[in-house]
Amino acid sequence: MSKIEELIRKLCPDGVEYRKITEIATVTIGEFVHKNKQNNNSRYPVYNGGITNTGFYDEYNNDGKKVLISARGANAGYVNKINKKYWAGNSCYTITIEHEEVMSWEFLYYYLKNNQSNILGQQQTGSIPAISKRQIECYKVPIPPIEVQYEIVRILDNFTELEAELEAELEARKEQYNYYFYKLMNSNQYKKMKLYEIGKVKMCKRVLKNQTTSKGDIPFYKIGTFGKKADAYISEETFKELKDKYSYPKKGDILISCSGTIGRTVIFDGKPAYFQDSNIVWLEHDETIITNSFLKYCYRMSPWRIATGGTIARLYNDNILNAEVLVPPLDEQLKIVSILDRFDKLCNDISEGLPAEIEARRKQYEYYRDKLLNFKELKVENKE
């Protein structure tokens, strides 16, 4: 950051001038091209009022190196950029820099993108939200010296490229993970077993609504809060009574959602909690046959058939018990779990894996973007 700080101290220590976009660029609206004339085999992307292009067209009406702003629809005010020839539709504004020695189009993009929420907030309400051409033309932007603009663009480009590289690596690891997952879990050398041969479906005792409170001692998870934050509680006295008398999961058991998001699983962490009967269940089984850690991956393959005959689809106990899984020897299960756990952590762990690194880089990028694009406005004396 020392170079950009040095440039700012040298070239614009007292701030920079802000000008309306219309003073440095032209804003044009595109031309309508019917959807039936667009196809994926054509060369040039077509942009309109959305976040991404609507299709491709055989002709173009704009060269690249332009800033685009959606004109109409729910995303009116969305800021985009394109570096190649494209067709601008009639729901898309194109901003063309008039004097590149004064304003870098990429700097303008970064500034407007950083202020996108402000532009979106200026939508004109009506049957279709819209941003007017006049609103874009009158939007004020800072004009730091071009050397400062180029250095800011270089810094922010490096951040975006790094994030793109990390996301590409994450996507590659996910593909690798899926490959090994299905390869390791589908060997014809494993023994086929139905879950009723391994254990029994268990559930907590029914808790009535009048036994719960909005605040309390022990969280009570219903199907709507399963895997999330509880919004109901039971007393510690009720919890101890139910836990001692009726079925209760042990730490490590895999809880299964039987309605709502059917088949969602949560590993029970052993902390005091209670779960809605019949909607949240688990398999009580002999771990000398199959470990919970391996069973977790079996469940990811959704081995059960979901009952859909009634008005609401759900997973009944028989659907679970008749589900068939492939069971390798215990030592093989441990090896498979070790491999898949490493992939899972790399691809999904928000505290250690690639997602955590991507999130950290994104926050770093946002911090520097806000810092770099926040210019003090230079006070211009009125010479009249």
Side-chain angles (χ1 to χ4, degrees):
M1 294 295 293
S2 58
K3 182 177 179 181
I4 186 64
E5 290 169 345
E6 182 181 341
L7 283 171
I8 291 173
R9 281 198 300 268
K10 179 181 178 181
L11 300 175
C12 50
D14 300 321
V16 302
E17 186 181 354
Y18 277 68
R19 297 187 196 173
K20 295 176 181 179
I21 286 178
T22 191
E23 297 178 55
I24 57 167
T26 57
V27 180
T28 56
I29 190 75
E31 183 180 348
F32 176 74
V33 58
H34 201 281
K35 185 70 176 176
N36 62 16
K37 291 185 178 181
Q38 302 176 41
N39 66 81
N40 291 330
N41 296 321
S42 295
R43 183 174 179 182
Y44 304 107
V46 177
Y47 285 90
N48 266 293
I51 292 175
T52 58
N53 63 298
T54 59
F56 295 85
Y57 189 44
D58 291 325
E59 300 177 27
Y60 68 91
N61 59 6
N62 271 281
D63 291 320
K65 297 185 178 181
K66 301 289 175 65
V67 179
L68 282 61
I69 298 182
S70 297
R72 284 186 287 276
N75 296 304
Y78 182 84
V79 180
N80 209 338
K81 69 172 181 175
I82 186 165
N83 197 26
K84 57 186 178 182
K85 295 173 181 177
Y86 67 99
W87 184 276
N90 65 337
S91 293
C92 169
Y93 295 121
T94 291
I95 303 178
T96 303
I97 300 296
E98 292 292 335
H99 302 285
E100 294 183 3
E101 72 278 7
V102 174
M103 172 63 75
S104 157
W105 75 277
E106 291 174 297
F107 175 82
L108 179 63
Y109 163 74
Y110 277 123
Y111 183 80
L112 293 177
K113 191 68 175 178
N114 196 44
N115 289 273
Q116 179 176 270
S117 60
N118 178 269
I119 301 171
L120 288 166
Q122 295 182 29
Q123 286 182 359
Q124 299 173 16
T125 58
S127 57
I128 300 177
I131 294 289
S132 73
K133 182 169 175 282
R134 182 66 178 162
Q135 284 175 292
I136 301 302
E137 290 176 330
C138 291
Y139 199 87
K140 282 191 170 184
V141 297
I143 315 291
I146 197 69
E147 299 92 335
V148 172
Q149 295 181 40
Y150 287 155
E151 181 61 13
I152 290 172
V153 168
R154 186 192 67 80
I155 293 169
L156 297 180
D157 277 352
N158 286 340
F159 276 115
T160 54
E161 287 169 14
L162 176 58
E163 185 178 332
E165 288 172 4
L166 288 171
E167 288 176 343
E169 183 179 353
L170 177 59
E171 190 60 32
R173 292 293 173 266
K174 284 182 177 179
E175 290 180 9
Q176 191 179 30
Y177 179 17
N178 288 335
Y179 170 79
Y180 281 108
F181 177 81
Y182 287 104
K183 184 179 177 66
L184 292 170
M185 297 295 292
N186 282 294
S187 173
N188 56 16
Q189 297 179 4
Y190 302 161
K191 182 180 179 181
K192 288 183 179 181
M193 298 184 73
K194 293 197 172 182
L195 291 182
Y196 71 74
E197 300 178 78
I198 298 170
K200 298 178 180 179
V201 173
K202 295 290 183 177
M203 67 187 74
C204 290
K205 178 67 174 175
R206 174 160 296 183
V207 170
L208 301 176
K209 186 175 181 179
N210 61 14
Q211 292 178 281
T212 67
T213 57
S214 59
K215 295 181 180 180
D217 306 315
I218 308 298
F220 175 64
Y221 292 95
K222 299 168 286 187
I223 198 61
T225 56
F226 182 57
K228 304 174 186 176
K229 184 178 180 180
D231 62 3
Y233 297 83
I234 59 174
S235 68
E236 190 167 355
E237 181 182 358
T238 300
F239 170 68
K240 287 180 179 179
E241 180 183 348
L242 296 175
K243 182 175 178 290
D244 291 341
K245 289 184 178 180
Y246 304 100
S247 298
Y248 189 76
K250 67 180 186 300
K251 184 177 180 179
D253 278 339
I254 314 298
L255 303 172
I256 308 168
S257 167
C258 295
S259 64
T261 307
I262 297 174
R264 174 189 288 174
T265 58
V266 171
I267 302 172
F268 180 50
D269 59 11
K271 295 179 181 178
Y274 216 67
F275 305 93
Q276 189 176 26
D277 66 299
S278 79
N279 280 334
I280 302 170
V281 304
W282 67 94
L283 192 73
E284 187 176 86
H285 65 284
D286 185 351
E287 285 206 76
T288 62
I289 299 174
I290 187 169
T291 66
N292 267 319
S293 54
F294 184 78
L295 191 60
K296 170 187 68 176
Y297 288 111
C298 292
Y299 288 166
R300 286 194 184 179
M301 300 182 76
S302 300
W304 34 65
R305 292 183 179 178
I306 298 170
T308 56
T311 56
I312 301 175
R314 69 170 294 112
L315 192 60
Y316 292 102
N317 290 357
D318 284 347
N319 301 126
I320 296 173
L321 293 172
N322 285 302
E324 192 173 72
V325 295
L326 294 171
V327 183
L330 280 177
D331 59 344
E332 189 69 17
Q333 291 181 37
L334 294 174
K335 291 178 184 176
I336 292 171
V337 167
S338 176
I339 294 169
L340 295 181
D341 277 355
R342 287 199 296 272
F343 272 116
D344 190 59
K345 179 171 286 190
L346 179 65
C347 295
N348 299 308
D349 195 320
I350 60 172
S351 61
E352 294 184 36
L354 281 169
E357 188 171 356
I358 290 171
E359 182 61 23
R361 293 294 170 267
R362 188 170 290 144
K363 288 180 179 178
Q364 189 179 34
Y365 163 71
E366 290 171 355
Y367 168 79
Y368 283 112
R369 182 192 63 191
D370 293 344
K371 183 179 177 68
L372 290 168
L373 296 173
N374 186 17
F375 288 93
K376 180 172 68 173
E377 186 170 3
L378 181 67
K379 294 182 179 179
V380 181
E381 294 182 6
N382 193 337
K383 296 180 181 181
E384 292 183 359

